[in-house]
Amino acid sequence: MPAMEVMCCALRNGTSSTEIIACATREGLMNANAQNVFRFATPFAENGGESRALAAMILCGFEPPAQQVEFTDPQTGKRYRVDFLGRTRDGRIVVVDLDGLVKYTDAQMMDGRTLGGVIDDERERSEGLKRAGVDVIVRIRMDDLHDLEGLKQRLARTGVPLRRR
Protein backbone atom coordinates (compact mmCIF):
# COMPACT_ATOMS: atom_id res chain seq x y z
CA MET A 1 0.00 0.00 0.00
CA PRO A 2 2.81 2.52 0.65
CA ALA A 3 3.99 2.11 -2.95
CA MET A 4 0.51 3.00 -4.22
CA GLU A 5 0.51 6.06 -1.98
CA VAL A 6 3.87 7.22 -3.37
CA MET A 7 2.88 6.55 -6.98
CA CYS A 8 -0.48 8.32 -6.71
CA CYS A 9 1.24 11.30 -5.06
CA ALA A 10 3.85 11.48 -7.84
CA LEU A 11 1.14 11.33 -10.52
CA ARG A 12 -0.99 13.93 -8.70
CA ASN A 13 2.05 16.23 -8.63
CA GLY A 14 2.64 15.96 -12.36
CA THR A 15 5.29 13.27 -12.73
CA SER A 16 4.42 11.07 -15.70
CA SER A 17 4.00 7.35 -15.27
CA THR A 18 6.45 6.87 -18.15
CA GLU A 19 9.16 8.68 -16.17
CA ILE A 20 8.46 6.66 -13.04
CA ILE A 21 8.43 3.33 -14.88
CA ALA A 22 11.66 4.21 -16.71
CA CYS A 23 13.34 5.08 -13.41
CA ALA A 24 12.11 1.88 -11.73
CA THR A 25 13.34 -0.18 -14.67
CA ARG A 26 16.76 1.53 -14.66
CA GLU A 27 17.11 0.94 -10.93
CA GLY A 28 16.10 -2.72 -11.19
CA LEU A 29 12.94 -2.17 -9.15
CA MET A 30 10.48 -3.49 -11.72
CA ASN A 31 8.75 -6.60 -10.39
CA ALA A 32 5.17 -7.95 -10.29
CA ASN A 33 4.23 -5.77 -7.31
CA ALA A 34 5.62 -2.64 -8.97
CA GLN A 35 3.81 -3.48 -12.20
CA ASN A 36 0.50 -3.73 -10.31
CA VAL A 37 1.10 -0.38 -8.66
CA PHE A 38 1.91 1.20 -12.04
CA ARG A 39 -1.15 -0.44 -13.56
CA PHE A 40 -3.64 0.85 -11.00
CA ALA A 41 -2.19 4.11 -9.59
CA THR A 42 -4.03 7.29 -10.50
CA PRO A 43 -3.56 11.02 -10.00
CA PHE A 44 -7.12 11.27 -8.64
CA ALA A 45 -6.42 10.09 -5.08
CA GLU A 46 -6.43 13.36 -3.16
CA ASN A 47 -4.46 12.13 -0.17
CA GLY A 48 -2.55 9.19 1.21
CA GLY A 49 -5.63 7.68 2.79
CA GLU A 50 -7.45 7.55 -0.53
CA SER A 51 -4.38 5.97 -2.16
CA ARG A 52 -4.32 3.31 0.56
CA ALA A 53 -8.06 2.71 0.20
CA LEU A 54 -7.65 2.31 -3.57
CA ALA A 55 -4.82 -0.18 -3.03
CA ALA A 56 -6.90 -2.10 -0.47
CA MET A 57 -9.87 -2.34 -2.84
CA ILE A 58 -7.63 -3.60 -5.63
CA LEU A 59 -5.91 -6.10 -3.31
CA CYS A 60 -9.39 -7.36 -2.38
CA GLY A 61 -10.04 -8.02 -6.06
CA PHE A 62 -12.45 -5.19 -6.86
CA GLU A 63 -12.58 -3.32 -10.14
CA PRO A 64 -10.60 -0.08 -9.88
CA PRO A 65 -13.30 2.46 -9.05
CA ALA A 66 -13.82 5.83 -10.67
CA GLN A 67 -12.51 8.55 -8.35
CA GLN A 68 -13.57 12.08 -7.48
CA VAL A 69 -16.85 11.85 -9.39
CA GLU A 70 -19.13 14.83 -8.92
CA PHE A 71 -22.90 14.71 -8.44
CA THR A 72 -25.37 17.59 -8.34
CA ASP A 73 -28.35 17.36 -6.03
CA PRO A 74 -31.32 18.13 -8.32
CA GLN A 75 -33.30 19.55 -5.41
CA THR A 76 -30.74 21.99 -3.98
CA GLY A 77 -28.19 22.40 -6.79
CA LYS A 78 -25.38 21.55 -4.35
CA ARG A 79 -22.46 19.68 -5.82
CA TYR A 80 -20.88 16.75 -4.03
CA ARG A 81 -17.74 14.86 -4.99
CA VAL A 82 -17.32 11.25 -3.94
CA ASP A 83 -14.07 9.41 -3.28
CA PHE A 84 -14.85 6.20 -5.19
CA LEU A 85 -17.64 5.09 -7.48
CA GLY A 86 -18.49 1.67 -8.86
CA ARG A 87 -21.40 0.39 -10.89
CA THR A 88 -22.94 -2.95 -10.09
CA ARG A 89 -23.58 -5.47 -12.86
CA ASP A 90 -27.23 -4.39 -12.85
CA GLY A 91 -26.33 -0.69 -13.17
CA ARG A 92 -26.73 0.53 -9.60
CA ILE A 93 -24.30 3.24 -8.46
CA VAL A 94 -22.28 2.39 -5.35
CA VAL A 95 -20.22 5.11 -3.70
CA VAL A 96 -17.43 4.32 -1.27
CA ASP A 97 -16.31 7.29 0.82
CA LEU A 98 -13.27 7.22 3.08
CA ASP A 99 -14.22 9.02 6.26
CA GLY A 100 -11.40 10.59 8.19
CA LEU A 101 -12.12 11.41 11.79
CA VAL A 102 -10.29 14.71 11.39
CA LYS A 103 -13.35 16.35 9.83
CA TYR A 104 -15.14 15.79 13.14
CA THR A 105 -12.31 17.02 15.38
CA ASP A 106 -10.14 19.57 13.53
CA ALA A 107 -11.39 23.13 14.09
CA GLN A 108 -10.13 24.27 10.69
CA MET A 109 -11.99 21.49 8.87
CA MET A 110 -15.10 22.06 10.97
CA ASP A 111 -15.09 25.67 9.75
CA GLY A 112 -16.88 27.05 12.79
CA ARG A 113 -19.53 24.33 12.84
CA THR A 114 -20.35 22.27 15.89
CA LEU A 115 -19.92 18.51 15.84
CA GLY A 116 -23.69 18.25 15.44
CA GLY A 117 -23.52 20.63 12.47
CA VAL A 118 -20.83 18.52 10.79
CA ILE A 119 -22.93 15.39 11.29
CA ASP A 120 -26.02 17.17 9.92
CA ASP A 121 -24.01 18.27 6.86
CA GLU A 122 -22.90 14.67 6.26
CA ARG A 123 -26.50 13.50 6.50
CA GLU A 124 -27.58 16.24 4.05
CA ARG A 125 -24.78 15.23 1.68
CA SER A 126 -25.90 11.58 1.75
CA GLU A 127 -29.50 12.58 1.02
CA GLY A 128 -28.34 14.84 -1.83
CA LEU A 129 -26.26 12.04 -3.34
CA LYS A 130 -29.27 9.71 -3.21
CA ARG A 131 -31.44 12.33 -4.95
CA ALA A 132 -28.69 12.63 -7.59
CA GLY A 133 -28.91 8.92 -8.40
CA VAL A 134 -26.54 7.18 -6.00
CA ASP A 135 -28.06 3.90 -4.88
CA VAL A 136 -25.67 2.86 -2.09
CA ILE A 137 -23.19 4.83 0.03
CA VAL A 138 -20.59 2.87 1.96
CA ARG A 139 -18.47 4.74 4.46
CA ILE A 140 -15.12 3.25 5.36
CA ARG A 141 -12.41 4.39 7.76
CA MET A 142 -8.67 3.86 7.80
CA ASP A 143 -9.15 1.11 10.40
CA ASP A 144 -11.13 -0.87 7.80
CA LEU A 145 -8.04 -1.03 5.58
CA HIS A 146 -6.29 -3.24 8.16
CA ASP A 147 -8.85 -6.04 7.74
CA LEU A 148 -8.90 -6.76 4.01
CA GLU A 149 -11.13 -9.83 4.33
CA GLY A 150 -13.70 -7.85 6.33
CA LEU A 151 -13.50 -4.97 3.84
CA LYS A 152 -13.94 -7.36 0.92
CA GLN A 153 -17.02 -8.96 2.47
CA ARG A 154 -18.57 -5.61 3.32
CA LEU A 155 -18.02 -4.10 -0.14
CA ALA A 156 -19.07 -7.29 -1.94
CA ARG A 157 -22.38 -7.29 -0.02
CA THR A 158 -23.15 -3.84 -1.41
CA GLY A 159 -22.44 -4.92 -4.98
CA VAL A 160 -19.08 -3.24 -5.57
CA PRO A 161 -17.92 -5.12 -8.68
CA LEU A 162 -15.07 -7.60 -8.52
CA ARG A 163 -12.47 -7.65 -11.31
CA ARG A 164 -13.07 -10.21 -13.96
CA ARG A 165 -10.09 -12.49 -14.23
Side-chain angles (χ1 to χ4, degrees), residues 77-119:
K78 286 187 177 181
R79 297 163 79 171
Y80 301 107
R81 200 170 60 209
V82 301
D83 295 334
F84 304 102
L85 179 142
R87 290 189 185 270
T88 64
R89 303 277 182 244
D90 63 359
R92 291 179 305 123
I93 296 172
V94 179
V95 162
V96 178
D97 270 335
L98 178 65
D99 273 347
L101 298 178
V102 69
K103 73 175 153 189
Y104 300 103
T105 58
D106 182 277
Q108 186 173 358
M109 288 196 70
M110 291 175 73
D111 197 28
R113 298 172 295 168
T114 64
L115 177 58
V118 173
I119 292 169

